[in-house]
Amino acid sequence: MPYDMIIQGGTVVTASDRFVADIGIKGERVETIAPNLPADGSQVIDAKGCYVLPGAIDVHSHLDMPFGGTSTADDFESGTISAACGGTTTVVDFAIQFKGQSPRQGLDAWHKKAEGKACVDYGFHLILTELPEGSESQLDGLVDEGVSSFKVFMAYPGVFMLDDASIFRLLRKTREVGALTTIHCENGGAIDVLVKLAREAGERAPKYHALTRPARAEAEATARAIALAEIAKAPIYVVHLSAAEALDQVRVARDRGLAAYAETCPQYLFLSTRNYEEPGFEGSKYVMSPPLREPGNEEFLWKGLRTDELQVVSTDHCSFCMNQKALGKDDFSKIPNGAPGLETRLYLLHDGGVRAGRISLERMVDLTATKPAKMFGLYPKKGTLSVGSDADLVVWDPEKKFLITNKALHSKADYTPYEGRAVTGAPRTVLQRGQVIVKDNSFVGKIGGGRFLRRGTFKSP
Ligand code: URP
Ligand code: ZN
Ligand code: ZN
């Protein structure tokens, strides 16, 4: 029997090609991609009429994370089941070095959270909340262990925010060791003043979260981050870019030939400030940072996705239930920041991006699998379908109707920002390393079956 499994007759889609072929899987890897492979007793999955996509990669999740006076609703088990059911077979989650901890302690804590629970393969970036002068050498060993990207915040003063000097020292270090600095760009100091003024004026509603975090504060921080990276001669990756004027900063930098990269997220493509006007406390569902932007902003992001000003669509999955959001019932500044999204990314991008004619199917694969794999040291094991790659794949039925409701999803959050949105296109079967882990919207894999991925160093995509 030449193959353990054959994915038969589907349209294989990569970042660059689309063709009808069979995929022969042996053990955990793709062995052959060719037409009419002989079954000879292999297990066969009929993929006729479907696309066969590389398993998607989400390089921005927050699982089992203490934040905003509470902890995210999803841990590594529920979060990765949710990811798998939406066609994502790899997550790169943000481990945190809290103040007073060494980078190693932060990382060890996240290994413990994931081991025995993660249901898809996973890696870690490490969030640094302090980097005392002279401590940079502590990062060397981490890169050797496959943690080849770090995250710093220009927002959340007193919690996560790092000063410019520390960010600059990190950038110099990452350049030396081949790692990538990812960065949350919002001017935390200016935002804190605006929040204080709004509270003093008696403004308490969720919409003030957005009104106190202007797009300009994101654009300023984005320009500053890129300038620091330029001086350090290091690459930089802007996370969850939301505002057209922040994108302008990335475009200018890229036009100048700088290694400036950025991701956006579905919430900035499909939602807007209008959502904060929903009745009662519903607007709290959309309290995230950066906030949702004015209607019309999203068209600039779609253009950026088409023209490679933006390289990745990730989710920033950071899920809370409504009783957790209620911590800010009387004060918008106490609403835990974040929303669920791991499971809905491909549904939304396929329906609202590909079917709507905004991006090609190949570009969807590029943005959700290939580019993140290349930049975060996973390619070509992950992020494409080629001989020798891990057999992580999604049999995607482009005509299947799916109604997005929280009931149909698998996150432990008790709402989805996309409740009631009807989409066309859904995963039929999802494989991780040759094993079926999702069948018809049910997780059928093994709890804890995900493996830690030692990622390689940064490569320009
Ligand atoms: O609101 C958000 N984005 N929560 C998660 C933390 C972050 O800033 O990425
Ligand atoms: Zn962030
Ligand atoms: Zn985040």
Side-chain angles (χ1 to χ4, degrees):
M1 188 170 66
Y3 307 107
D4 297 318
M5 189 183 288
I6 294 176
I7 312 295
Q8 202 169 61
T11 299
V12 179
V13 186
T14 68
S16 55
D17 298 301
R18 188 190 305 207
F19 53 91
V20 175
D22 295 347
I23 297 185
I25 297 168
K26 186 126 184 118
E28 298 193 338
R29 311 218 191 292
V30 173
E31 176 90 355
T32 310
I33 304 179
N36 305 318
L37 293 179
D40 286 345
S42 315
Q43 187 184 342
V44 171
I45 292 183
D46 181 5
K48 282 185 216 68
C50 290
Y51 300 134
V52 184
L53 313 174
I57 298 172
D58 192 339
V59 292
H60 194 150
S61 69
H62 300 278
L63 300 175
D64 204 349
M65 173 170 115
F67 191 41
T70 181
S71 209
T72 55
D74 283 309
D75 61 7
F76 274 84
E77 183 177 322
S78 62
T80 54
I81 287 175
S82 173
C85 290
T88 291
T89 52
T90 299
V91 298
V92 185
D93 195 75
F94 285 98
I96 307 177
Q97 168 235 28
F98 289 105
K99 288 188 199 306
Q101 288 186 325
S102 66
R104 151 80 39 226
Q105 284 171 317
L107 193 58
D108 284 352
W110 249 259
H111 274 296
K112 284 206 185 80
K113 287 171 190 270
E115 271 162 28
K117 283 190 142 191
C119 301
V120 301
D121 289 355
Y122 61 95
F124 298 126
H125 320 272
L126 182 63
I127 291 174
L128 297 170
T129 59
E130 57 187 10
L131 188 66
E133 210 174 330
S135 68
E136 297 91 322
S137 58
Q138 293 181 26
L139 307 182
D140 293 344
L142 305 187
V143 175
D144 297 339
E145 289 172 29
V147 179
S148 53
S149 46
F150 299 90
K151 181 180 183 187
V152 287
F153 289 86
M154 294 172 129
Y156 309 127
V159 185
F160 288 138
M161 191 167 112
L162 209 57
D163 61 283
D164 286 354
S166 299
I167 293 172
F168 185 60
R169 281 191 282 103
L170 173 66
L171 284 160
R172 284 170 54 88
K173 186 67 190 172
T174 52
R175 181 194 177 213
E176 181 195 317
V177 297
L180 181 59
T181 301
T182 76
I183 186 156
H184 176 135
C185 297
E186 281 187 300
N187 187 316
I191 287 167
D192 253 21
V193 174
L194 292 173
V195 169
K196 191 162 172 281
L197 290 171
R199 291 179 75 250
E200 281 169 6
E203 309 296 6
R204 300 291 149 127
K207 69 175 178 187
Y208 285 93
H209 174 75
L211 291 170
T212 54
R213 302 185 89 92
R216 198 78 207 111
E218 186 184 354
E220 181 279 328
T222 305
R224 182 158 38 104
I226 292 171
L228 293 173
E230 181 178 6
I231 303 166
K233 299 189 174 55
I236 191 151
Y237 179 92
V238 177
V239 295
H240 51 42
L241 187 145
S242 71
E245 54 187 295
L247 181 58
D248 291 344
Q249 305 301 327
V250 176
R251 182 186 320 106
V252 168
R254 293 180 64 74
D255 286 351
R256 290 178 52 226
L258 300 179
Y261 306 98
E263 63 175 25
T264 191
C265 310
Q267 51 270 35
Y268 304 118
L269 298 167
F270 293 99
L271 305 171
S272 76
T273 46
R274 283 200 192 119
N275 294 92
Y276 294 117
E277 304 292 345
E278 290 178 15
F281 193 55
E282 295 292 287
S284 66
K285 292 176 175 172
Y286 314 98
V287 167
M288 60 187 74
S289 296
L292 302 176
R293 300 299 184 190
E294 292 293 323
N297 178 77
E298 73 284 359
E299 287 310 331
F300 294 93
L301 302 181
W302 281 112
K303 179 178 158 280
L305 292 172
R306 280 193 295 277
T307 57
D308 207 41
E309 289 162 5
L310 294 162
Q311 292 75 39
V312 174
V313 178
S314 66
T315 68
D316 193 11
H317 179 94
C318 186
S319 58
F320 297 103
C321 290
M322 288 309 282
N323 65 348
Q324 297 177 290
K325 291 279 184 182
L327 287 168
K329 191 111 194 74
D330 302 315
D331 181 350
F332 70 90
S333 70
K334 296 199 167 49
I335 301 171
N337 284 204
L342 260 171
E343 191 166 350
T344 41
R345 179 176 57 149
L346 292 190
Y347 287 115
L348 293 165
L349 280 184
H350 176 261
D351 185 74
V354 177
R355 283 177 58 91
R358 287 171 158 143
I359 52 171
S360 68
L361 185 61
E362 292 81 353
R363 183 65 177 156
M364 181 182 94
V365 169
D366 201 20
L367 292 164
T368 57
T370 313
K371 282 284 197 311
K374 286 183 173 172
M375 296 171 90
F376 289 95
L378 292 166
Y379 190 83
K381 181 181 167 69
K382 307 286 189 191
T384 193
L385 288 172
S386 63
V387 172
S389 299
D390 280 2
D392 294 351
L393 56 87
V394 185
V395 179
W396 182 271
D397 182 343
E399 299 304 330
K400 189 167 167 184
K401 309 278 181 214
F402 185 76
L403 183 65
I404 301 180
T405 60
N406 195 54
K407 202 157 173 283
L409 302 176
H410 299 78
S411 160
K412 280 202 179 141
D414 56 2
Y415 75 93
T416 165
Y418 310 101
E419 185 72 28
R421 190 181 176 112
V423 293
T424 302
R428 198 189 270 177
T429 310
V430 180
L431 269 72
Q432 173 117 71
R433 287 180 274 100
Q435 298 294 318
V436 174
I437 60 167
V438 175
K439 220 172 152 12
D440 297 327
N441 203 31
S442 288
F443 181 73
V444 295
K446 185 170 158 256
I447 304 299
R451 275 191 206 150
F452 174 68
L453 298 164
R454 294 167 75 103
R455 294 181 294 115
T457 51
F458 166 76
K459 300 212 176 36
S460 166

